[in-house]
Amino acid sequence: MSQNKVATLIRASIREQAAYHVPPADGFIKLDAMENPYRLPPEWVERWLAVLRELELNRYPDAGAGDLRTALKGFLGVPANMELMLGNGSDELIQLLCQAVIDSPLCLNRKPIVLSTDPGFVMYRFLAQACGLEYMGVPLKESGFALDTNAVLEAIDWYKPALVFLAYPNNPTGNLFKEIDMEKVIAAAPGLVVVDEAYQPFAESSFMDRLGSFDNLLVMRTVSKLGLAGIRLGALAGPAAWLRELDKLRLPYNINVLTQATARLACEYPQVFAEQAKRIRDERQRLYAEMEILEGIRPFPSRANFILFKTPAGRATAIFEFLKAKGVLVKNLSTAGGLLRDCLRVTVGASAENDVFLSILKESLLSQA
Ligand SMILES: *Cc1c(COP(=O)(O)O)cnc(C)c1O
């Protein structure tokens, strides 16, 4: 196939975009993707297998996933007067939101703008640009990665973003923005503000109860970080008037039969997930304390299931490679520069995994890797 032919069809901004890279992880202690390290209890698995046995895989799934949505509204604590829409992971919901504002009347004669923070979750930029929208990341403050409210409000005033994404807590920094700062942004935004609560089980703080207090607020959740990353299920909660329109862009069978059945059963065991989240929060506290006493390492406080940490100047990539060579996979963020200079991010794993990580991290500091 000639590159010329591809170039005449596929626009430059896609050809120049690097593909989303997921590193191979076979055999590694996997602390790079914020997965929950725990499996589900045998009793749950037995019931699950019985459910699977009865499924009719020859049939399309329930297109609106009505039963699952009802169960999830309870599980996630969605206010009774709010609606819920499901996606194939919250990534799909981010994509739908971007699609919904292409050619928005709010943005006559210019590309609609998607605004978030820098550092922020990479999929906001990736999916906005894939939809032909403009992306803007407003730098966080250096101190505590706080929202630079004045800068965000100025950008809102100037650029009138169609969509604002605020990850609460933020990925990859792990902190919760101040509620008062978030409220100022939501009140000022001319378009939708999506509070992305992917890490809610570890943050124990939420904007879900605020739905309805602002007519442009939506709250997004996912079961991925909670322990079900494999089934791909995200949820968007908010007023029916918004979700009714967004739902028209959703592919009719986006939540498959296996995912619907599995998630419905999961909703019957909220205490299992609550206990696992508690274990992860406890481990996070221990891991943080152990990292804090390491010479040269500076962990940042986290309300998520990962810890961002600074390594000695110029050593992040070498330490990342040292960990990898010894079988521990973390995320190297140092190449992004800016506030992430010298930074790596480790997911809170099971206790034994965290111990291995800590001991290899110590070794790498001593070895001058
Ligand atoms: C991991 C993550 C998501 C993606 O969740 P999926 O439901 O697995 O697509 C969304 N937002 C943030 C901030 C995340 O860190």
Side-chain angles (χ1 to χ4, degrees), residues 35 49 82 94 97 146 154 168 202 205 213 263 270 282 320 323 342 355:
E35 290 145 326
L49 291 173
M82 291 291 142
I94 298 168
L97 284 156
E154 213 165 283
Y168 186 79
F202 317 107
S205 186
S213 315
D282 290 347
F320 167 79
L323 284 160
D342 302 317
D355 286 342

Side-chain angles (χ1 to χ4, degrees), residues 44 48-49 51-57 59-62 68 228 230-233 253-266:
W44 188 91
W48 177 57
L49 291 173
V51 167
L52 293 187
R53 220 169 267 126
E54 300 302 318
L55 290 182
E56 297 185 39
L57 296 182
R59 302 290 176 196
Y60 281 106
D62 174 354
L68 175 57
L228 294 168
I231 71 172
R232 306 302 297 132
L233 182 67
Y253 305 113
N254 67 330
I255 312 299
N256 72 70
V257 169
L258 299 170
T259 296
Q260 289 194 32
T262 305
R264 273 182 67 183
L265 190 61

Side-chain angles (χ1 to χ4, degrees), residues 96-171:
L96 284 176
L97 284 156
C98 290
Q99 286 172 350
V101 300
I102 295 173
D103 291 329
S104 162
L106 179 71
C107 316
L108 285 176
N109 304 321
R110 62 170 175 89
K111 280 189 187 182
I113 288 168
V114 175
L115 185 143
S116 188
T117 59
D118 182 22
F121 181 46
V122 291
M123 292 312 277
Y124 306 147
R125 176 193 294 274
F126 189 88
L127 293 169
Q129 290 175 345
C131 288
L133 310 177
E134 202 78 61
Y135 178 83
M136 178 174 295
V138 179
L140 295 174
K141 289 184 180 167
E142 185 150 12
S143 162
F145 301 115
L147 210 52
D148 187 342
T149 318
N150 287 339
V152 176
L153 292 179
E154 213 165 283
I156 285 175
D157 193 37
W158 195 257
Y159 297 105
K160 307 272 185 288
L163 286 175
V164 176
F165 287 101
L166 295 172
Y168 186 79
N170 189 38
N171 174 12

Side-chain angles (χ1 to χ4, degrees), residues 314-326:
R315 301 230 354 240
T317 296
I319 291 173
F320 167 79
E321 293 294 346
F322 189 96
L323 284 160
K324 193 170 156 190
K326 302 243 167 179

Side-chain angles (χ1 to χ4, degrees), residues 33-34 87-94 120-124 166-172 196-199 220-225 228-229 232-235 306 345:
M34 282 78 94
N88 192 324
S90 37
D91 288 348
E92 189 188 36
L93 295 166
I94 298 168
F121 181 46
V122 291
M123 292 312 277
Y124 306 147
L166 295 172
Y168 186 79
N170 189 38
N171 174 12
D196 180 350
E197 299 188 338
Y199 300 97
M220 192 163 65
R221 295 276 183 87
T222 174
V223 299
S224 295
K225 316 292 156 62
L228 294 168
R232 306 302 297 132
L233 182 67
F306 58 83
R345 184 190 66 198

Side-chain angles (χ1 to χ4, degrees), residues 172-325:
T173 56
N175 59 306
L176 284 176
F177 300 132
K178 276 205 236 150
E179 284 180 32
I180 178 81
D181 291 346
M182 303 263 294
E183 282 168 1
K184 284 181 191 163
V185 171
I186 299 166
L192 278 169
V193 177
V194 181
V195 175
D196 180 350
E197 299 188 338
Y199 300 97
Q200 184 273 336
F202 317 107
E204 300 177 288
S205 186
S206 172
F207 271 69
M208 195 64 95
D209 291 339
R210 236 56 80 82
L211 284 176
S213 315
F214 301 90
D215 63 5
N216 60 338
L217 173 65
L218 300 176
V219 172
M220 192 163 65
R221 295 276 183 87
T222 174
V223 299
S224 295
K225 316 292 156 62
L226 187 62
L228 294 168
I231 71 172
R232 306 302 297 132
L233 182 67
L236 189 63
W242 290 117
L243 297 195
R244 199 179 308 126
E245 303 308 325
L246 291 169
D247 200 51
K248 294 174 188 171
L249 293 167
R250 187 179 60 82
L251 297 176
Y253 305 113
N254 67 330
I255 312 299
N256 72 70
V257 169
L258 299 170
T259 296
Q260 289 194 32
T262 305
R264 273 182 67 183
L265 190 61
C267 287
E268 291 178 30
Y269 291 77
Q271 73 288 358
V272 167
F273 295 95
E275 277 161 24
Q276 291 189 350
K278 166 92 170 63
R279 280 171 80 182
I280 292 167
R281 293 195 304 268
D282 290 347
E283 264 306 298
R284 173 183 72 197
Q285 192 174 352
R286 179 183 79 91
L287 184 59
Y288 181 89
E290 300 257 5
M291 290 172 79
E292 215 180 7
I293 56 175
L294 292 182
E295 181 79 33
I297 295 295
R298 181 181 168 207
F300 295 100
S302 169
R303 298 289 294 271
N305 66 341
F306 58 83
I307 293 174
L308 181 76
F309 61 101
K310 223 180 226 326
T311 64
R315 301 230 354 240
T317 296
I319 291 173
F320 167 79
E321 293 294 346
F322 189 96
L323 284 160
K324 193 170 156 190

